[in-house]
Each structure stands twice: as C-alpha cells, then as structure tokens.
Amino acid sequence: MSTVAAILKHKGYNVLTVSPDARISDVSAILSDNRIGAVLVLDEAEQMLGIVSERDIVRCLAANGTRTIDMTAGQLMTRAVQIAHPDTTVVEAMRMMTAGRFRHLPVVDHDTLVGLISIGDVVKARIMQQEATVESLTAYVAGSA
C-alpha cells in the first residue's frame, strides 16, 4: 500500500514556512506567488506552531474585513495541526483530511518536519493506485483467457 513517503518522494520535500510575526498580506503573496494553499508557521527553533491556509484567510476576512491584512500569521493560524508520518498510508491520510475537513497535512519524521501534502496529492496518489490495480487485474484476466 502506498504511503505518504511515496507521495513526498514524487512531489518533493520543500515546504514553505513563515514566522509567527509575518503579516497576512505577505503570507497571501507567498500563497499566490507559489500557487499553494497553505504555509506552516514555525518559530525560531523550527518548531511548528500552526498553519495558515487560504481558508483561514477567507474566514478572517469575512469576520474582520480589511483589518485581516495587517494581522500576523501567529494571530490567524490554526494551532491544532494534525500531522502524518512518512509511513502513514495514503488511505489513512485521506481519512484524516476528510474527517477533519482540512486540505493540508504536515509530515513529521522523528520530530522533524519533512514535508507537506495536500488533498490533491493524496487524491492523485489514490488514483494512481487504482489505475495500477485495474491494469494488474486486466493483465491477469487477459492472461488467463
């Protein structure tokens, strides 16, 4: 069964992060410029404090209007961040994301941040698994005919 490690091997390990004092206007620019949906918020010791997603920004805009732009990542971030490990299966990651209704999942290995996967990454991996299964079954059936 495919794991989060396989997704990261294909996708890469680069994770964009911001400090808790980064302004939301800057965070928004990072998200837009890099065509990503979330950044992790790390302290000076590289410890994960939270995550800021597009959804967090939109919710804050709805509640606070233009004041949101002057807020900081530390003020706006989601603090209760679920994590995956490299050996977490794709199915487990999908279940976590679906149950928690979030789209981004940090990957931690022995207390070290090693990556960040999105629901799109998980769906892509799942589709690839299903295609491989179909091909295998098709080859089996064709070979036995």
Side-chain angles (χ1 to χ4, degrees):
M1 180 156 296
S2 186
T3 63
V4 167
I7 292 173
L8 290 176
K9 184 176 180 182
H10 178 73
K11 174 186 181 171
Y13 300 90
N14 187 39
V15 179
L16 292 177
T17 63
V18 297
S19 68
D21 60 346
R23 288 177 41 145
I24 295 304
S25 58
D26 296 329
V27 172
S28 297
I30 291 168
L31 296 176
S32 178
D33 292 347
N34 291 281
R35 299 178 53 121
I36 57 175
V39 292
L40 295 178
V41 181
L42 304 183
D43 65 14
E44 292 177 5
E46 302 284 314
Q47 296 300 307
M48 185 172 27
L49 302 175
I51 188 168
V52 176
S53 70
E54 296 166 316
R55 188 181 285 179
D56 294 325
I57 294 169
V58 168
R59 285 184 180 141
C60 194
L61 278 167
N64 300 301
T66 58
R67 291 188 315 246
T68 301
I69 299 302
D70 294 322
M71 294 175 74
T72 65
Q75 291 173 304
L76 196 129
M77 69 185 177
T78 298
R79 288 172 172 77
V81 180
Q82 292 189 39
I83 61 166
H85 301 282
D87 61 347
T88 301
T89 67
V90 170
V91 171
E92 290 171 321
M94 184 176 278
R95 284 188 187 132
M96 290 171 63
M97 296 168 103
T98 301
R101 298 182 53 101
F102 55 87
R103 299 179 193 155
H104 299 88
L105 188 59
V107 183
V108 175
D109 189 18
H110 299 96
D111 296 327
T112 301
L113 177 66
V114 295
L116 178 68
I117 61 171
S118 71
I119 191 68
D121 300 325
V122 173
V123 168
K124 181 178 178 182
R126 217 36 201 131
I127 289 169
M128 289 172 59
Q129 284 177 337
Q130 295 298 334
E131 288 174 348
T133 300
V134 168
E135 287 177 17
S136 177
L137 289 172
T138 301
Y140 176 77
V141 169
S144 66

